[in-house]
Amino acid sequence: MKGESLNKEADILQRLKKGDESALRELVDLYRPQMLMEAYYVIRDMDEAEDIVQEVFIRFWNVKEKVELKPSLMAYLLRATRNESLIKLRKDKTRGKRQDLYSYFQESSTQMKPFESAELAKQLKNAMEYIPPAARKSFVKLYLEDKSQKTIAAEQNISLQVVKNNISKALKILREKLHTVKIF
């Protein structure tokens, strides 16, 4: 039974590598229910689980030539689904923290006098000018456009480590330039 399953997976994978879309449909029909259960178990939201499973299949299609049957295609897809679900949870948690922080600063800024708010904005703008252009671009995409570091790396055609270095450099410069700024 297990050998038969692996032979079927090997056949599907071989057809996928040749670009056979019907093999993808067969794969979706075969493993989508288990993948949905895996995603739902992690994130507890069926709509999100469906999005994650769809994203896993899209990514799988894009890397199908590189995939090997170790130990099985099902194990590969379930692991990918679990990883995507965990990444989604982390992103949502981080986004929630950023929104809470933003809400705090928004409340604080509404309590500020217009002069104080304008002065703070001016100091922030001045501090941003000290950040090198590449680091500033990465910083803005991460913190203002809410993009992931991987997405930024892909968009800017640079390595993930360069993005991390850019963000670190930008934060260091902002800390140095804004350490004397006081918010009342």
Side-chain angles (χ1 to χ4, degrees), residues 38-179:
E38 183 70 25
Y40 181 78
Y41 175 77
V42 174
I43 60 173
R44 304 287 185 204
D45 181 326
M46 189 52 83
D47 291 334
E48 290 289 338
E50 288 176 358
D51 289 347
I52 287 169
V53 170
Q54 182 176 352
E55 183 64 31
V56 168
F57 278 119
I58 290 169
R59 287 186 185 184
F60 177 77
W61 177 259
N62 291 332
V63 298
K64 63 188 176 290
E65 292 84 14
K66 300 174 189 169
V67 174
E68 295 182 25
L69 285 174
K70 292 181 183 177
S72 73
L73 206 45
M74 181 175 152
Y76 174 90
L77 291 170
L78 287 175
R79 174 57 63 194
T81 301
R82 183 165 188 75
N83 289 343
E84 280 296 315
S85 300
L86 292 171
I87 288 167
K88 171 75 173 126
L89 275 180
R90 268 188 245 122
K91 278 184 179 179
D92 288 349
K93 187 176 180 181
T94 301
R95 185 173 290 122
K97 285 181 182 178
R98 285 186 186 157
Q99 287 174 341
D100 290 346
L101 186 61
Y102 176 74
S103 295
Y104 169 77
F105 282 119
Q106 190 176 27
E107 288 171 12
S108 297
S109 68
T110 58
Q111 295 170 357
M112 269 187 219
K113 295 178 180 105
F115 173 77
E116 292 170 343
S117 182
E119 183 62 27
L120 182 60
K122 180 181 171 187
Q123 289 176 346
L124 181 59
K125 183 179 179 191
N126 288 340
M128 291 285 287
E129 290 177 8
Y130 286 94
I131 301 172
R136 186 178 326 127
K137 189 173 184 181
S138 295
F139 179 84
V140 166
K141 286 184 178 292
L142 180 70
Y143 288 103
L144 300 180
E145 297 176 15
D146 201 27
K147 294 186 178 182
S148 72
Q149 291 181 350
K150 285 183 182 178
T151 303
I152 295 167
E155 284 180 0
Q156 294 181 340
N157 199 21
I158 56 178
S159 73
L160 183 58
Q161 189 58 49
V162 171
V163 172
K164 289 178 181 181
N165 293 345
N166 284 345
I167 300 299
S168 178
K169 184 185 299 182
L171 289 172
K172 181 179 178 186
I173 290 169
L174 286 176
R175 278 188 212 103
E176 288 172 0
K177 300 298 177 188
L178 297 174
H179 78 282

